[in-house]
């Protein structure tokens, strides 16, 4: 069983994809952007390997206008063949399972032919990308069924008809998922029986959109598991939590560890891969990985603490002290207690006086290297915070730039600039 996350990696310096507008999509610009984005992907793959994360969803945006062949007509698989080969070899060597998830506008069951044609172009692009990496059929494309258009039965019929017409290279990778409004897990299982497409179960979508039954997550996961074949690899599920006090269906800022562990213990016998859909991305993936690892090491929690400590300090010096005490026993592995305390801190608002204390701790890593002008700017920015709390973001951006300038590795590995 692997636990992974989707698309973006937080806390890794300069690991952000770039894109452009159609008006700026010259071949020269597209080549530069694709080169940058593939380098970012490789950095993410290396990070996942270092953190023990073996499940990762690649962003659909990695090739700008990848499915719009009128805008991007580059033969990018050939132009960047060496990069694809290098990244693909790392993915296989690290035993990382990758996937992609076309967006809400990729709709196979639309009554409009032009919409279906665009959807097929998008699936072709995603398939081409995964094929360029050289990854096998275990690396999947996840797709929602689409709209209802006033007649669900006819819409499902259209999906089945279009599915059968897809290129086999697409069908080899395509899996279908229940959604939070239109198609329940039972609907998707029905379509799977007609098409042969494996099913991925989404727990939050099911909670919001079901047929009134009271079966457990494990029940539906085992139902979905039967739609998978050996060539498809281990069945996947999507796991997310409702954001407290957020709109219905909004993903949580972070995975709440107690809630996750209850789910994990329930589905563990099913032996499935769990893709987390959560706003803090890899941070929750590392949390859940460390909470379920069979090889617990206190040094892993110490590494996590080094990343969270200043974020905790600006919210609660009391929790900061509690975590330090918790980690003093080097023979223990208090992973659940550790993350409960982290979550308690992250749930608190930033206090400006505490934030200044945390800023000064961070500034301590930069003070000796900073120029006189930079020191003066720091003093000014810090003084502005008490007058206008929004200035905290400005001074954090300033410190992050200095951390990059002076290559201060400890700060660059911190989550202080992310959370």
């Amino acid at each position: 069983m692997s636990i992974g996350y989707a698309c973006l990696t937080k806390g890794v310096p300069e690991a952000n994809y770039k894109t452009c507008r159609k008006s700026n999509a010259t071949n020269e610009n597209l080549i530069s952007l694709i080169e940058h984005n593939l380098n970012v992907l490789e950095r993410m793959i290396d990070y996942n390997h270092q953190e023990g994360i073996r499940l990762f969803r690649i962003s659909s945006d990695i090739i700008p206008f990848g499915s719009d062949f009128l805008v991007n007509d580059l033969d990018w698989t050939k132009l960047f063949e060496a990069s694809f080969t290098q990244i693909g070899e790392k993915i296989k060597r690290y035993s990382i399972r990758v996937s992609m998830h076309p967006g809400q506008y990729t709709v196979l069951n639309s009554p409009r032919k032009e919409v279906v044609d665009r959807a097929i172009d998008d699936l072709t692009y995603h398939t081409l990308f995964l094929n360029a990496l050289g990854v096998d059929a275990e690396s999947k494309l996840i797709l929602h069924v689409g709209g209802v258009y006033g007649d669900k039965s006819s819409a499902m019929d259209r999906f089945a008809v279009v599915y059968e017409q897809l290129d086999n290279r697409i069908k080899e990778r395509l899996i279908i998922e229940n959604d939070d409004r239109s198609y329940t897990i039972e609907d998707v299982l029905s379509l799977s029986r007609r098409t042969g497409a494996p099913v991925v179960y989404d727990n939050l979508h099911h909670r919001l959109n079901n047929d009134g039954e009271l079966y457990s997550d494990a029940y539906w996961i085992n139902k979905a598991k039967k739609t998978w074949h050996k060539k498809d690899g281990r069945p996947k599920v999507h796991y997310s939590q409702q954001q407290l006090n957020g709109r219905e269906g909004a993903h949580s800022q972070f995975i709440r560890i107690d809630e996750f562990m209850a789910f994990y213990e329930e589905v563990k016998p099913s032996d499935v891969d769990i893709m987390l859909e959560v706003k803090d991305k890899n941070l929750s993936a590392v949390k859940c990985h460390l909470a379920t690892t069979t090889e617990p090491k206190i040094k892993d929690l110490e590494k996590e603490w080094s990343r969270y400590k200043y974020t905790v300090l600006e919210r609660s010096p009391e929790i900061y002290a509690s975590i330090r005490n918790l980690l003093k026993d080097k023979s223990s592995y208090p992973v659940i207690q550790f993350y409960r305390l982290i979550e308690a801190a992250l749930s608190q608002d930033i206090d400006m006086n505490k934030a200044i204390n945390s800023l000064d701790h961070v500034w301590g890593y930069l003070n000796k290297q900073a120029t006189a002008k930079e020191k003066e700017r720091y003093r000014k920015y810090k003084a502005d915070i008490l007058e206008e709390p929004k200035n905290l973001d400005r001074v954090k951006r300033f410190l992050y730039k200095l951390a990059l300038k002076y290559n201060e590795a400890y700060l660059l590995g911190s989550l202080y600039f992310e959370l």
Side-chain angles (χ1 to χ4, degrees):
M1 178 183 287
S2 297
I3 301 170
Y5 67 100
C7 300
L8 303 177
T9 305
K10 290 182 172 288
V12 176
E14 300 179 289
N16 295 303
Y17 293 123
K18 295 180 180 179
T19 189
C20 67
R21 297 178 179 179
K22 277 188 179 183
S23 58
N24 295 325
T26 63
N27 283 353
E28 182 181 14
N29 200 16
L30 289 171
I31 288 171
S32 176
L33 292 170
I34 294 169
E35 181 179 23
H36 169 84
N37 290 349
L38 289 176
N39 287 335
V40 168
L41 174 60
E42 185 169 7
R43 197 172 301 129
M44 291 177 176
I45 295 298
D46 287 336
Y47 165 87
N48 290 331
H49 173 60
Q50 293 162 9
E51 298 295 334
I53 302 299
R54 306 295 172 211
L55 188 66
F56 179 59
R57 181 189 301 164
I58 298 171
S59 172
S60 294
D61 297 330
I62 190 165
I63 305 294
F65 306 103
S67 63
D68 191 334
F69 308 125
L70 295 178
V71 177
N72 184 351
D73 62 356
L74 294 170
D75 190 354
W76 43 266
T77 62
K78 291 294 184 184
L79 286 171
F80 294 96
E81 185 175 5
S83 295
F84 278 106
T85 298
Q86 181 169 304
I87 296 168
E89 286 177 350
K90 282 188 174 184
I91 288 170
K92 288 177 278 190
R93 186 165 69 250
Y94 297 160
S95 298
I96 295 175
R97 185 184 191 184
V98 295
S99 62
M100 300 182 82
H101 194 336
Q104 61 179 325
Y105 300 112
T106 304
V107 182
L108 289 181
N109 72 345
S110 171
R112 297 169 55 196
K113 182 179 183 300
E114 65 271 21
V115 173
V116 175
D117 288 344
R118 285 199 300 270
I120 293 174
D121 285 346
D122 199 37
L123 293 176
T124 300
Y125 151 63
H126 285 83
T127 301
L128 187 62
F129 188 93
L130 292 176
N131 288 350
L133 290 173
V135 292
D136 62 22
E138 294 187 7
S139 292
K140 296 299 186 184
L141 297 178
I142 303 96
L143 190 68
H144 293 295
V145 176
V148 173
Y149 305 104
D151 185 346
K152 181 183 282 190
S153 178
S154 295
M156 292 174 71
D157 288 342
R158 285 196 300 274
F159 183 94
V161 168
V162 174
Y163 177 90
E164 289 305 320
Q165 298 169 355
L166 294 174
D167 188 292
N168 285 334
R169 289 170 294 184
I170 296 175
K171 288 196 282 190
E172 186 179 52
R173 296 195 184 277
L174 198 62
I175 59 179
I176 51 179
E177 176 189 358
N178 59 307
D179 64 66
D180 59 346
R181 293 184 180 182
S182 301
Y183 291 91
T184 68
I185 185 62
E186 289 185 290
D187 293 330
V188 177
L189 287 169
S190 173
L191 271 175
S192 175
R193 288 190 289 270
R194 296 173 64 178
T195 62
V199 170
V200 58
Y201 170 78
D202 186 297
N203 73 304
L204 184 57
H205 289 169
H206 177 65
R207 199 187 89 183
L208 298 172
N209 180 32
N210 57 69
D211 293 303
E213 40 57 39
L214 299 176
Y215 299 120
S216 67
D217 288 324
Y219 172 86
W220 290 113
I221 286 170
N222 287 327
K223 282 275 191 181
K225 185 176 179 178
K226 293 176 182 178
T227 67
W228 291 67
H229 302 92
K230 185 176 181 180
K231 67 178 177 63
D232 298 314
R234 185 184 290 118
K236 292 179 63 180
V237 302
H238 289 175
Y239 177 80
S240 55
Q241 297 173 352
Q242 172 67 45
Q243 175 64 33
L244 301 179
N245 301 317
R247 66 168 178 78
E248 191 172 64
H251 291 159
S252 60
Q253 188 64 43
F254 53 79
I255 294 296
R256 298 180 289 273
I257 194 62
D258 289 318
E259 196 174 323
F260 173 79
M261 291 306 296
F263 174 84
Y264 176 82
E265 292 301 328
E266 178 190 340
V267 306
K268 185 177 179 180
S270 300
D271 189 27
V272 292
D273 283 349
I274 302 174
M275 178 64 73
L276 304 178
E277 296 186 323
V278 59
K279 291 179 181 177
D280 73 354
K281 305 295 183 179
N282 52 301
L283 308 186
S284 278
V286 171
K287 172 196 289 190
C288 294
H289 170 67
L290 293 181
T292 58
T293 183
T294 57
E295 299 178 351
K297 300 182 182 72
I298 188 67
K299 68 178 184 180
D300 291 329
L301 296 187
E302 292 171 338
K303 178 182 176 183
E304 280 286 89
W305 177 227
S306 71
R307 304 179 74 203
Y308 278 102
K309 61 193 302 183
Y310 296 123
T311 299
V312 171
L313 185 60
E314 69 180 347
R315 289 167 169 83
S316 174
E318 295 78 18
I319 293 177
Y320 178 92
S322 295
I323 294 176
R324 291 187 65 185
N325 287 330
L326 182 69
L327 297 180
K328 283 182 179 179
D329 183 358
K330 304 306 178 185
S331 65
S332 67
Y333 186 71
V335 62
I336 302 300
Q337 300 96 309
F338 172 78
Y339 282 116
R340 283 173 181 163
L341 288 168
I342 294 289
E343 290 171 17
L346 293 179
S347 298
Q348 296 186 24
D349 293 331
I350 296 175
D351 177 279
M352 286 304 116
N353 288 308
K354 296 169 185 175
I356 289 175
N357 179 38
S358 193
L359 279 172
D360 283 339
H361 276 76
V362 172
W363 174 248
Y365 289 90
L366 302 165
N367 184 40
K368 291 182 180 179
Q369 305 168 80
T371 65
K373 185 177 180 180
E374 289 165 345
K375 291 177 181 179
E376 178 57 32
R377 183 175 296 179
Y378 174 68
R379 285 192 291 269
K380 181 181 183 305
Y381 283 172
K382 191 172 73 167
D384 290 342
I385 291 173
L386 292 177
E387 295 181 15
E388 178 49 72
K390 290 182 180 179
N391 287 326
L392 178 60
D393 289 337
R394 181 175 66 171
V395 69
K396 281 188 175 183
R397 289 193 298 271
F398 171 65
L399 293 182
Y400 180 68
K401 289 178 181 178
L402 291 186
L404 285 171
K405 175 182 176 179
Y406 296 116
N407 194 27
E408 186 53 59
Y410 189 83
L411 293 184
L412 293 175
S414 169
L415 299 174
Y416 179 69
F417 305 107
E418 288 280 355
L419 300 176

